[in-house]
Each structure stands twice: as structure tokens, then as C-alpha cells.
């Protein structure tokens, strides 16, 4: 786990000491919000929710290139750029080109992609290695064929995904490279399937993780029942349990993160799939203007005053409850905040 830890804690500081930030620590760019899986815990697995989340489309490269130029003109580097939000990023025909453009622009310390791995072809793997992708997260949805089919509603098997990842690792190692670092993770099944998953990726991934299920407050789907059926109660308690509704804590994301959706709209985080907390669009303003805007300033103020209770996308969210003490913004004085652009 040390290799993963270094990527996410390198030069980590106490947020209260460095806010307001000149630029976000993490920028998520959504190449697409289309997905080839219809997972039971995701809005893609529910036609009604998918309809509300439209437009379902790929980000056009004109918009993407503007984002890259905006960051370069902003000056300095963003700590982490994630080419991922609500869809399967490898569905974008220019996903590898996106990695190349970011690397050539030298605008961040790390680039990360999260994928279900089903479309990780040899051609894509070779380009991701050659273009210098830093981190590749593989979200695996089962170690057993039937379980994965039940969750994803796809034709892909766990072995299909594993073979794709094996090729990338073999190609990377053959070239004598260490990137991308391969992270394989699966949701906790509360069964011995966890160990079968770990065994499956022991010689394939650099880091293996078992994630707890994540409560989505803006989604009426009960992901615990959809995923676990008779084990739903156990999964709910394992996630955060009923304590999630008893605690109130401000979220750091409006102060540290920015997510640019496929249509250029900027939201606080990827959990806001309905764009409730949209505060600008890169097709109209620069990223710097949006980050320093009155719209985002007002979201930050409301977050501190209400602990996110005034936002549907935040009410009941687990993210701030999982924060470390150094990531807390609870006692941040509103007087330290300001805005420059009236957008």
C-alpha cells in the first residue's frame, strides 16, 4: 500500500492553513458520461435517472483543449487531474490523446483514469504507457461471473477484465517503466469473494483494495439493497451506518476540487450528477474566472454555514465524514473567503 500512499499524501498540508487556494488541488475532467455498464448502484442502471442526467455524450476536443489552455495560462500546476467522472472514459475515442495533451502541456503532477477495464484494448494500453499516464484505477464489479453480470448487466466477465490489465502490466514492465501504477478495487461483498478478487489480482495490480459501498444522497435508488439484497443492512452499517444522518460536517470539495462535466459545466464534485451545484461553464469563462467566481464563493459560504444541508447533492453525503482531521474545513472563517469575478 506504500506506493499508493505516496501518490495521494505527497506534500500533503493542513487545509485550514492553505485555504483559499489559488487553484484546485484536484481537477476532474469528464471525457464522457456514457457508460457501457448499467450497474445497479449507479444512475446508469436506472433509465429514469439516466434521462435526468442528460446530455449523455462525449466531451468535444475543442472544449477539452480550452481546458488545457486555461490551466496553462493560469500558471502553476494542479496536483492531480482525473480523466473521469460519471461515464466510462475509455469510450471517448480521443482518451489517449487527452493524456498526451495534458502531459505535453505540463500542467499537473499526476494524471489518473478510473475505468471498468472492459475496453482496455492492447492499443489503448500501449498508448497510455507511452504517453505517461500516472495512475490507472480498475473498478472491478465481481470476481465471479454471475455476480459481475448481475451488477453490471454486461457481457464481460472478471477474466476478460483481468486479461486486459495483464496485457497493460506486461507491456509496461517489458518497457522498463513503472507507470501507470495499477490500482484494482472491488466493492466489499461481505463474502469470501473478496479473497478471490485479491488472489486474482495479486500478481497483476500494484495495489489492491476492497471499497466500502458509498451512499449517494441524490439518488433514490437504495444501492445497498440493489447490491446486497439480504446483506443490505450489513453493508449499510459497514459503509457509515446510521451515524451518517446524525453528523454534520462541512465538505472540503468546494474549496479543493473542481469537476468539469462533458458539456463544460463546472460542478463541485462527481456525486452531483444532476448538476445542482453548477457554478460556471468553461465555454463561457476561463477556469481561473470560474474558480474565483461569486457563484462558487456563495456555494462555499453556504457549505460552511449549513454543513451542506441546504444542498440535495450534499445532504447525507459520506465524503466529509471520511475526511482526515487535516482535511477538515469545519471551523474555516467565512471572512477568509472572497471572490473576484461576478459570474
Amino acid at each position: 500500500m506504500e506506493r499508493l500512499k505516496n501518490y495521494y499524501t505527497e506534500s500533503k498540508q493542513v487545509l485550514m492553513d492553505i485555504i483559499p487556494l489559488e487553484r484546485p488541488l484536484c481537477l476532474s475532467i469528464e471525457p464522457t458520461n456514457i457508460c457501457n455498464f448499467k450497474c445497479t448502484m449507479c444512475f446508469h442502471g436506472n433509465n429514469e435517472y439516466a434521462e435526468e442526467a442528460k446530455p449523455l455524450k462525449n466531451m468535444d476536443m475543442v472544449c477539452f483543449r480550452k481546458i488545457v489552455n486555461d490551466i496553462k495560462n493560469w500558471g502553476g500546476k494542479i496536483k492531480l487531474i482525473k480523466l473521469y467522472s460519471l461515464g466510462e472514459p475509455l469510450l471517448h475515442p480521443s482518451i489517449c490523446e487527452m493524456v498526451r495533451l495534458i502531459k505535453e502541456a505540463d500542467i499537473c503532477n499526476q494524471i489518473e483514469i478510473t475505468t471498468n477495464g472492459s475496453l482496455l484494448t492492447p492499443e489503448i494500453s500501449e498508448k497510455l504507457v507511452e504517453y505517461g499516464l500516472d495512475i490507472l484505477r480498475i473498478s472491478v464489479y465481481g470476481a465471479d461471473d454471475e455476480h459481475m453480470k448481475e451488477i453490471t448487466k454486461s457481457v464481460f466477465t472478471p477474466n476478460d477484465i483481468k486479461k486486459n490489465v495483464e496485457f497493460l502490466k506486461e507491456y509496461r514492465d517489458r518497457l522498463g517503466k513503472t507507470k501507470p501504477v495499477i490500482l484494482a478495487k472491488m466493492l466489499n461483498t461481505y463474502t469470501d469473494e473478496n479473497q478471490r478478487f485479491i488472489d486474482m489480482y495479486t500478481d497483476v495490480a500494484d495495489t489492491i483494495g476492497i471499497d466500502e459501498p458509498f451512499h449517494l444522497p441524490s439518488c433514490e435508488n437504495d444501492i445497498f439493497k440493489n447490491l446486497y439484497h439480504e446483506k443490505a443492512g450489513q453493508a449499510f452499517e459497514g459503509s457509515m451506518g446510521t451515524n451518517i444522518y446524525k453528523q454534520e460536517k462541512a465538505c472540503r470539495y468546494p474549496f479543493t476540487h473542481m469537476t468539469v462535466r462533458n458539456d463544460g459545466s463546472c460542478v463541485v464534485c462527481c456525486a452531483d450528477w444532476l448538476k445542482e451545484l453548477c457554478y460556471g461553464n468553461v465555454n463561457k469563462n476561463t477556469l481561473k474566472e470560474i474558480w474565483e467566481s461569486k457563484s462558487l464563493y456563495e456555494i462555499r459560504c453556504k457549505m460552511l454555514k449549513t454543513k451542506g444541508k441546504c444542498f440535495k447533492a450534499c445532504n447525507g453525503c459520506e465524503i466529509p465524514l471520511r475526511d482526515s482531521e487535516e482535511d477538515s474545513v469545519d471551523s474555516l472563517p467565512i471572512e477568509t473567503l472572497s471572490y473576484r469575478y461576478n459570474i
Side-chain angles (χ1 to χ4, degrees), residues 87-252:
E88 169 48 53
L90 300 192
L91 278 170
H92 197 293
S94 299
I95 186 64
C96 297
E97 179 72 359
M98 290 178 168
V99 173
R100 186 184 68 80
L101 289 171
I102 291 173
K103 277 293 183 179
E104 288 184 351
D106 194 25
I107 54 176
C108 67
N109 296 334
Q110 309 287 347
I111 308 175
E112 174 183 310
I113 289 178
T114 298
T115 172
N116 61 40
S118 64
L119 305 177
L120 189 63
T121 64
E123 180 183 8
I124 289 177
S125 291
E126 290 174 359
K127 287 182 178 180
L128 292 180
V129 172
E130 292 167 14
Y131 292 163
L133 178 70
D134 295 289
I135 306 169
L136 184 68
R137 282 181 171 267
I138 308 293
S139 295
V140 182
Y141 296 101
D144 301 334
D145 289 3
E146 288 304 314
H147 188 202
M148 182 169 171
K149 182 178 180 180
E150 177 188 2
I151 291 176
T152 67
K153 305 297 186 295
S154 74
V155 298
F156 295 96
T157 68
N159 198 47
D160 293 332
I161 310 301
K162 180 187 175 186
K163 286 182 178 179
N164 291 346
V165 182
E166 282 178 329
F167 178 89
L168 183 143
K169 181 179 185 298
E170 187 278 330
Y171 182 77
R172 180 198 71 181
D173 294 351
R174 177 156 42 91
L175 294 184
K177 297 181 179 292
T178 59
K179 298 178 181 179
V181 174
I182 302 170
L183 286 64
K185 60 188 182 70
M186 184 181 76
L187 285 174
N188 195 342
T189 65
Y190 300 93
T191 70
D192 56 8
E193 187 178 359
N194 289 354
Q195 190 58 51
R196 291 196 294 278
F197 163 72
I198 292 172
D199 293 341
M200 179 181 295
Y201 279 90
T202 294
D203 297 324
V204 181
D206 299 305
T207 301
I208 304 170
I210 300 294
D211 283 353
E212 293 300 328
F214 193 84
H215 178 68
L216 294 176
S218 59
C219 184
E220 295 177 7
N221 261 349
D222 190 326
I223 65 169
F224 299 103
K225 288 182 180 179
N226 288 344
L227 277 171
Y228 298 102
H229 308 301
E230 71 277 2
K231 293 182 179 293
Q234 183 181 358
F236 181 71
E237 292 299 327
S239 177
M240 289 298 285
T242 54
N243 288 334
I244 188 174
Y245 301 109
K246 296 178 181 178
Q247 299 183 47
E248 294 184 357
K249 194 173 180 181
C251 180
R252 72 185 190 278

